[in-house]
Amino acid sequence: MSSNTPSSSAGGVGSADSAAPRRNSKRPKYSKFTQQELPACKPILTPRWVISAFMLVSIVFIPIGVVSLFASRDVVEIVDRYETACVPDNFRNDKVSFIQNETTNKICTRNLTVPKRMKQPIYVYYQLDNFYQNHRRYVKSRSDSQLKDNSSWDDVSSCKPEDNANGMPIVPCGLIAWSLFNDTYNFSLNNQQLAVNKRGISWKSDRDSKFGSDVFPRNFQNGLLIGGKRLDPNVSLSEQEDLIVWMRTAALPTFRKLYGKIERDLQPNEVIQVTLENNYNTYSFNGKKRLVLSTTSWLGGKNDFLGIAYLTVGGLCFFLALSFTIVYLVKPRRLGDPSYLSWNRNPGGH
Amino acid sequence: MSIVTTDTFSWYQVTRLVKQGTGRVTLGIGDGANDVGMIQEADIGVGISGVEGMQAVMASDFSVSQFRFLERLLVVHGHWCYKRIAQMVCYFFYKNIAFGLTLFYFEAFTGFSGQSVYDDLYMILFNVVLTSMPVISLGVFEQDVSSDVCLEFPTLYQQGPRNLFFDWYRILGWMGNGLYSSIVIFVLNVIIFYDQAFRAEGQTTDMAILGTIMFTCIICAVNFQISLIMSHYTWIQHFLIWLSVLTWFLFLFVYGMLSPTYSKNVFQILTEALAPAPVYWTATLLVTIACTLPYLAHISLQRCFQPMDHHIIQEIKYLKKDEKDKVMWKREKTKAREKTKFGFTARVDAYIRSLRGRLHKKTHSLKSKDGNPS
């Protein structure tokens, strides 16, 4: 890197002429800033820098990619799609009426086989497809002030159409709370109940600051249309963790939300019986429901893409470094070679 | 072109004739009250403040105090200004396209309902604070070559009139770069944070988290890109680039500390959700490098195969060849200047130049055909 040493000053005149002070009295004061002569580093892209940059990127990225890929491969995941399988055969042609009928039996049994050893805690998720929690109308339909503080229990203006039922405000109001997911899962292994810890599944900041401990559900799911789960009016909102998890609207139409944690190890080839209640109506909009059991690594859940992307970019950079090395060896251009100046290449006029 | 006229024509009529006749950009310079018309008529008016008063200065676009300063105005400041403005405008297009298109891509995933993936305050601050300072410092301080080199090589000024830095190739190239960056930022982040947990504690991504991650990637990629464009780094540029990135994280931190009544979904998003998650930092690094890699490859190739004049001169200065090989430096300086002639001698001179060019091409092709100098 070369630094730019200050050259002669702007006026083209040399040092100040002290013999005629009146002539120079209007000359502005010299400063490096105003004369644009601040010391600067002027890096240029030499072949050495180009190849080093690409090699550095590939040296950093390829190990990160390998580590990420291994972390993702370590995660064990069981995914079970059940929304069609859990509808009895006689209702297969009219699933919507099955789900909306209050008298039909919604209990369904599923068997999950553990493929590899799963170390605790094992996270239980429900995954929904084609459910647009990120739709603008849906996202707006909530009242944060109502959720936080009991004194604003009637602030339901932003919650239309789920703001009032039978003339009274709903707590918690809005479409998001109204559509709370209400399938339940019970796990058993070898006829022994597997406990699912449903505490601590939401973000701590939500529990402490966004959902008040003095706010209780009121007038909830009292209208003509029931959208989802009913809430216990004796439990404050800060402890209704299913609601808190649901109210954090998902980014994409396919999403998973944490249902609970299983706090014991599962050995390979064990068969878990899941007794689930298929209550939630995803049939009206062709949504899919899946039950997911997953361990986590330091990177999170199972997603090979990060590791693959790092390896791809690292590999590409390595290939670019090699190609540039070959280019600079086969067809070198001497740095600072004046024969490349345009008036030397094309002396017949510019 | 030179014009000699008598007093029957006024100078502003001459300027208008030249403008309309040649269609070129004209510059008029004068120092007296009678020059005001010409100065205003010309595309660029330069006034000289001096013995004849300040009328010319008040009517002009630029004013200097002596006629000889015109050389410096054109060759140094004109050259720098052209490049600075061209680079600034292209970069502005690039960063806004990279940012704005991600919003449109996200709409495809929200049923086209108009839901923004970014918090409102992110979008307000993008152009005001988070990406504006480095590009302003580029526009104010950038120098491809120093001022004495500009004076020694007036040919470099020709890059302006020939519009080498703001032609359609460059503009569309930068827009394409913005398009590519927006696609990379969006697609990589959506796939990395798709539906699985992003932390060891099992939490999954929600819209606020995805929005913050994508925005972080945009800020880092766009600021890294400008550091690749700049060639003249003063402490100001360094400071402002780092400040922009740090301001983003500081803003996230402070905004997250406000009560949820104001910060809503961003409440403690950095401290609680994102900063402890390794995938946040690894995804940002990946996206930043992936966005700027094509540009780096492109400029390396361009510098290797089609170096421009200022690249060669930068290399000569960098390797200090101007001091080591003074003969070569003087020779190149002389070639970069031409004495202006007018009238008949100018046409003769141009004809001699074109003949010389044709001879040079012939000897070149003969040399390459039979390998020995003819």
Side-chain angles (χ1 to χ4, degrees), chain A residues 36 125 205 248 310 342 344, chain B residues 84 202 206 272 282 309 335:
Chain A
Q36 301 192 51
Y125 302 93
S205 60
R248 278 204 94 122
Y310 261 100
S342 61
N344 289 329
Chain B
R84 286 169 182 170
D206 59 55
E272 185 187 31
T282 43
D309 290 336
K335 280 199 233 173

Side-chain angles (χ1 to χ4, degrees), chain A residues 74-79 113 115-116 118 125 127 256 292-295 301-303, chain B residues 195-197:
Chain A
D74 278 344
V75 170
V76 188
E77 201 182 60
I78 307 171
V79 181
T113 316
K116 274 176 17 181
M118 292 172 84
Y125 302 93
Q127 178 179 328
R256 289 181 191 172
V292 179
L293 270 75
S294 172
T295 55
K302 191 172 195 61
N303 194 339
Chain B
D195 56 9
Q196 81 290 352

Side-chain angles (χ1 to χ4, degrees), chain B residues 133-147:
Chain B
M133 296 184 288
V135 70
I136 289 177
S137 73
L138 173 88
V140 174
F141 294 109
E142 175 70 4
Q143 297 174 15
D144 55 342
V145 285
S146 60
S147 56

Side-chain angles (χ1 to χ4, degrees), chain A residues 232-247:
Chain A
D232 184 353
N234 299 319
V235 177
S236 76
L237 286 195
S238 64
E239 284 164 45
Q240 304 261 20
E241 298 218 29
D242 280 331
L243 177 72
I244 298 175
V245 168
W246 183 256
M247 295 282 289

Side-chain angles (χ1 to χ4, degrees), chain A residues 11 36 40-42 123 125 132 134 136 204-205 248-249 256 296 301 303 310 333 335-336 342-344, chain B residues 69 84 109 113 143 191-192 196-197 200-202 204 206-207 232-233 272 282 303 309 315 321 332 335:
Chain A
Q36 301 192 51
C41 87
K42 300 169 84 89
Y123 296 93
Y125 302 93
Y132 285 79
N134 54 12
R136 187 158 187 267
K204 190 164 185 300
S205 60
R248 278 204 94 122
T249 48
R256 289 181 191 172
T296 55
N303 194 339
Y310 261 100
R333 174 178 74 81
L335 279 183
S342 61
W343 51 87
N344 289 329
Chain B
F69 294 164
R84 286 169 182 170
F109 288 79
S113 60
Q143 297 174 15
I191 304 183
I192 291 174
Q196 81 290 352
E201 292 89 29
T204 51
D206 59 55
M207 198 160 59
H232 181 88
Y233 278 92
E272 185 187 31
T282 43
R303 260 201 122 110
D309 290 336
E315 286 165 11
K321 275 193 183 178
E332 296 308 326
K335 280 199 233 173

Side-chain angles (χ1 to χ4, degrees), chain B residues 4 50 74 108 116 134 140 172 178-179 183-184 203-204 221 231 240 248 255 288 295 298 319-320 354 360 365-366 372:
Chain B
V4 179
L74 277 185
S116 160
V140 174
L172 291 176
L179 176 71
I183 293 176
V184 162
Q203 292 100 334
T204 51
S231 64
L240 288 179
W248 161 244
Y255 192 34
T288 306
Y295 176 74
H298 170 79
L319 298 168
K320 300 209 194 309
S354 69
H360 178 89
S365 58
L366 281 174
N372 43 352

Side-chain angles (χ1 to χ4, degrees), chain A residues 183-197:
Chain A
D183 284 5
T184 56
Y185 310 106
N186 279 304
F187 300 90
S188 65
L189 178 64
N190 301 328
N191 294 321
Q192 257 195 325
Q193 180 84 353
L194 267 180
V196 176
N197 183 4

